[in-house]
Amino acid sequence: MKVATEAELAVIVNGTAPSSILQTLHNTTPGKSRRLSTFFTKDLSRQLIAASKLRGLKVTAAVQSALILAVRPHLTPVDGRLVCFNTYDLRDRVPAPWSGPQGATGLYHTGRPCSIDLVANKDYDTIATTLTSHYQRDLEPLFKIMPCYVQTIGSLLATPLELAIQEPGAAHPELSSLGVIDDHLPTVHAGPATTVEIEDWWLGVQIINRVLQTYLWTRDMDA
């Protein structure tokens, strides 16, 4: 398990530090987090989803590629790489009842590092191809080494990247797809006396390191 874990996390521990974003405050304590939202209309969302599928791309990979391309001018390549730590929801991969709402007492997820060579991958198509290959990797091998894998990841993430490399201001973009929110948070809740409809929702996250944490989801697409 130790050998397999080291191989899985080699892109993080080998080589020099990944690329970093310059536009961050050079302070040593966490400041106030900011939350910015961007919404697309239903028609435009359907077009984006259809265009992604037509190109053979998962929506997550398509949007993450656009994010990386958008922040690319603000990155200072240290060794030409951008290392992302992409998360995966494992609730649909564990048996009942732990896979359902009744068993969702913990966070059933894991992550896998992805290294993108920004020198070789300069445009949207090549970045998207790299990310698509990454997301298509089988997660089954991780289940066999999960105890060692999770423990090692915890040790790596215990020290913020900017402190580990002693370069204040280091940051990187991350994206996590929440999928179809209606599967977890239905729009309409019917009760014995009345019916409540959720008009909107937002996600609040505390960020303690210099990271551009991005979340992607679709909601109320059939209405």
Side-chain angles (χ1 to χ4, degrees):
M1 286 193 296
K2 185 175 185 297
V3 172
T5 296
E6 291 175 348
E8 193 69 48
L9 302 176
V11 295
I12 295 180
V13 299
N14 293 342
T16 56
S19 303
S20 60
I21 299 178
L22 292 180
Q23 287 78 356
T24 59
L25 298 177
H26 287 249
N27 57 352
T28 56
T29 56
K32 294 182 179 179
S33 299
R34 296 184 61 192
R35 180 176 63 88
L36 304 177
S37 301
T38 299
F39 299 93
F40 295 111
T41 64
K42 294 181 182 180
D43 289 339
L44 181 55
S45 297
R46 293 189 180 99
Q47 293 179 38
L48 292 173
I49 294 172
S52 300
K53 293 182 177 180
L54 186 63
R55 297 165 72 103
L57 300 175
K58 294 288 186 179
V59 176
T60 302
V63 175
Q64 190 171 5
S65 302
L67 172 64
I68 293 174
L69 199 63
V71 301
R72 178 64 182 88
H74 306 285
L75 296 176
T76 301
V78 178
D79 64 354
R81 298 182 305 146
L82 174 63
V83 176
C84 306
F85 197 79
N86 296 329
T87 57
Y88 296 85
D89 183 6
L90 300 181
R91 293 184 181 181
D92 60 342
R93 300 172 186 267
V94 296
W98 300 282
S99 56
Q102 303 88 342
T105 56
L107 295 177
Y108 298 116
H109 70 86
T110 189
R112 197 174 232 168
C114 175
S115 178
I116 302 176
D117 186 344
L118 295 177
V119 177
N121 303 283
K122 296 182 178 180
D123 55 33
Y124 179 86
D125 290 326
T126 55
I127 294 175
T129 299
T130 301
L131 284 174
T132 299
S133 299
H134 173 76
Y135 280 115
Q136 289 177 342
R137 294 179 61 194
D138 186 14
L139 289 177
E140 190 65 28
L142 290 184
F143 284 91
K144 300 178 181 179
I145 63 172
M146 194 61 71
C148 182
Y149 185 72
V150 171
Q151 184 179 19
T152 306
I153 290 178
S155 299
L156 289 174
L157 300 182
T159 302
L161 178 62
E162 60 268 25
L163 298 181
I165 63 176
Q166 297 180 348
E167 287 186 11
H172 59 284
E174 294 284 359
L175 182 137
S176 179
S177 177
L178 304 181
V180 181
I181 290 299
D182 306 82
D183 294 341
H184 311 287
L185 183 67
T187 301
V188 178
H189 296 261
T194 186
T195 297
V196 177
E197 181 177 357
I198 298 177
E199 295 183 353
D200 195 10
W201 86 291
W202 57 275
L203 182 69
V205 181
Q206 286 186 322
I207 303 295
I208 61 174
N209 57 355
R210 295 176 174 89
V211 60
L212 176 62
Q213 182 65 57
T214 309
Y215 293 93
L216 165 71
W217 66 83
T218 57
R219 178 181 176 271
D220 195 22
M221 288 291 291
D222 296 329

